[in-house]
């Protein structure tokens, strides 16, 4: 990938210079290509369904807690959109309609696509199985509106009168055959150490999972699958770029808020239209260290 990464004192033309560098890398590697396989019967006027799925994903990486923030945060980011060959970002209503029309078949295709993307860069797939792989399950539910499709009252540890999805195994609801084991293990789950709880809290808070709610149940499923993909992309960026850096203690929330949302200057090749240089605003704290991390991630150590 022919991309230069440096610093600038100004002027700037984007608020998401590091995110633009990641987008250029994803595009060069065709990392999000499996999303094209999700066939959604919608009219293509400006954006294809795959373009819209990518934009929902990018709005999460840009720190938008809800789709409504796309209009205020990304509508003016024409150069960031240009990294993907788009003239602009879609309106939030367009992205919302995409999630509303998802069917069970398309949800399964989306699950297969997101799984294919993260498996190619998963640390678990490269785990040394001579040792243990410790797993922790987040049994906390995702609250939803009383008007949401299939919502019903659910169990939330330490909380009362919260509602969750009524579908088995999704959004806090437990299948009947697993209910006994779930309830018997709940006290131990509530009393376990706080490190894992903090990790889940950072993940949900950093990617706004609890704030993203759709009235349609399948739309909410699509939200969760794309949020899961955003989490895995951030995890790959962390382990390959930030682990041995001043940002080693950053969780998803700080990565999205303090690193990816760094202003800068984007330069495109006049003939090919491809992004050729990303410059981070030098006045921004830690921009020099972040530029080193981006070079390590994009070009290797």
């Amino acid at each position: 990938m022919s991309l230069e990464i440096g610093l600038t004192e100004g002027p700037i033309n984007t608020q998401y210079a590091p995110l633009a560098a990641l987008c250029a890398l994803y595009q060069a590697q065709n990392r999000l290509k499996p999303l094209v396989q999700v066939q959604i019967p919608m009219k293509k006027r400006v954006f294809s369904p795959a373009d819209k799925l990518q934009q929902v994903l990018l709005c999460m990486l840009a720190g938008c807690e809800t789709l409504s923030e796309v209009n205020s945060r990304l509508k003016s980011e024409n150069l960031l959109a240009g990294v993907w060959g788009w003239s602009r970002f879609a309106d939030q209503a367009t992205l919302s309609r995409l999630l509303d029309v998802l069917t069970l078949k398309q949800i399964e295709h989306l699950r297969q696509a997101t799984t294919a993307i993260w498996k190619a860069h998963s640390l678990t797939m490269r785990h040394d199985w001579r040792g243990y792989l410790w797993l922790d399950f987040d049994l906390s539910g995702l609250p939803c509106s009383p008007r949401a499709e299939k919502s019903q009252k659910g169990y939330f540890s330490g909380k009362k009168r919260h509602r969750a999805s009524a579908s088995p195994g999704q959004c806090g609801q437990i299948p009947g055959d697993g209910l006994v084991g779930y309830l018997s293990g709940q006290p131990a789950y509530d009393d376990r150490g706080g490190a894992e709880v903090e990790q889940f809290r950072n993940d949900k808070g950093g990617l706004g999972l609890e704030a993203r709610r759709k009235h349609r149940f399948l739309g909410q499923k699509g939200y969760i699958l794309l949020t899961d993909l955003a989490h895995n992309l951030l995890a790959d960026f962390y382990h390959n770029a930030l682990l041995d850096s001043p940002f080693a203690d950053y969780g998803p929330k700080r990565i999205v808020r303090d690193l990816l949302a760094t202003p800068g200057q984007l330069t495109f090749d006049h003939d090919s239209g491809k992004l050729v240089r990303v410059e981070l605003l030098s006045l921004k704290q830690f921009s020099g260290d972040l530029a080193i991390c981006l070079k390590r991630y994009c070009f290797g150590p």
Side-chain angles (χ1 to χ4, degrees):
M1 181 178 68
S2 91
L3 178 67
E4 298 179 357
I5 298 176
L7 300 176
T8 181
E9 295 182 355
I12 61 173
N13 56 16
T14 180
Q15 296 296 321
Y16 301 96
L19 181 57
L22 297 189
C23 290
L25 177 64
Y26 298 158
Q27 191 176 41
Q29 297 178 343
N30 290 321
R31 190 176 296 192
L32 302 184
K33 187 176 181 180
L35 293 178
V36 179
Q37 302 171 5
V38 184
Q39 299 298 321
I40 303 175
M42 297 183 69
K43 286 185 178 181
K44 178 184 176 181
R45 296 179 178 175
V46 180
F47 304 102
S48 68
D51 292 337
K52 297 172 187 177
L53 287 174
Q54 291 173 4
Q55 291 188 27
V56 174
L57 176 66
L58 291 179
C59 86
M60 298 175 183
L61 298 178
C64 300
E65 290 192 355
T66 63
L67 279 182
S68 61
E69 294 185 18
V70 170
N71 288 356
S72 58
R73 291 190 178 215
L74 296 181
K75 285 289 284 186
S76 61
E77 290 288 335
N78 293 338
L79 292 181
L80 179 60
V83 178
W84 293 94
W86 309 321
S87 60
R88 58 178 176 83
F89 280 96
D91 185 86
Q92 63 91 13
T94 301
L95 302 180
S96 182
R97 282 194 294 270
L98 172 78
L99 297 174
D100 286 336
V101 301
L102 291 176
T103 64
L104 278 174
K105 183 178 180 179
Q106 291 155 0
I107 287 292
E108 183 55 33
H109 290 168
L110 180 58
R111 188 190 308 277
Q112 294 172 2
T114 56
T115 300
I117 293 171
W118 67 254
K119 267 191 174 181
H121 304 274
S122 172
L123 291 176
T124 302
M125 304 301 292
R126 304 192 298 270
H127 180 71
D128 183 359
W129 294 104
R130 292 173 296 182
Y132 287 106
L133 176 65
W134 294 99
L135 300 177
D136 187 42
F137 293 90
D138 181 16
L139 298 182
S140 61
L142 289 177
C144 64
S145 166
R147 297 181 297 276
E149 184 180 13
K150 296 186 179 181
S151 68
Q152 69 177 25
K153 290 184 179 179
Y155 176 81
F156 289 78
S157 178
K159 298 180 181 180
K160 297 181 179 180
R161 295 185 296 276
H162 273 268
R163 302 184 71 86
S165 167
S167 176
Q170 297 288 338
C171 301
Q173 179 73 10
I174 306 301
D177 55 0
L179 186 58
V180 175
Y182 170 80
L183 293 177
S184 63
Q186 189 64 35
Y189 174 81
D190 290 341
D191 294 338
R192 77 198 195 289
E196 296 86 356
V197 179
E198 185 64 24
Q199 179 179 351
F200 289 133
R201 183 183 296 115
N202 287 338
D203 199 35
K204 288 182 176 179
L207 294 173
L209 181 57
E210 290 184 332
R212 294 192 182 93
R213 304 178 187 179
K214 292 293 294 178
H215 172 75
R216 290 198 69 246
F217 177 70
L218 294 180
Q220 184 67 26
K221 270 192 172 183
Y223 246 152
I224 294 174
L225 289 173
L226 290 172
T227 304
D228 192 39
L229 177 57
H231 159 82
N232 283 286
L233 291 175
L234 289 178
D236 180 67
F237 177 56
Y238 173 83
H239 285 284
N240 289 287
L242 306 181
L243 191 58
D244 297 320
S245 76
F247 314 113
D249 61 340
Y250 278 32
K253 187 171 185 176
R254 296 193 69 186
I255 293 175
V256 170
R257 182 191 66 190
D258 299 338
L259 299 186
L260 298 187
T262 298
Q265 176 85 15
L266 305 182
T267 304
F268 292 80
D269 181 75
H270 180 72
D271 296 324
S272 66
K274 291 186 177 181
L275 181 67
V276 294
R277 183 168 178 81
V278 175
E279 296 173 300
L280 310 185
L281 184 63
S282 59
L283 298 179
K284 182 81 171 181
Q285 189 179 21
F286 304 129
S287 58
D289 293 324
L290 180 55
I292 294 174
C293 294
L294 287 172
K295 291 177 182 178
R296 182 190 309 160
Y297 187 62
C298 295
F299 312 123

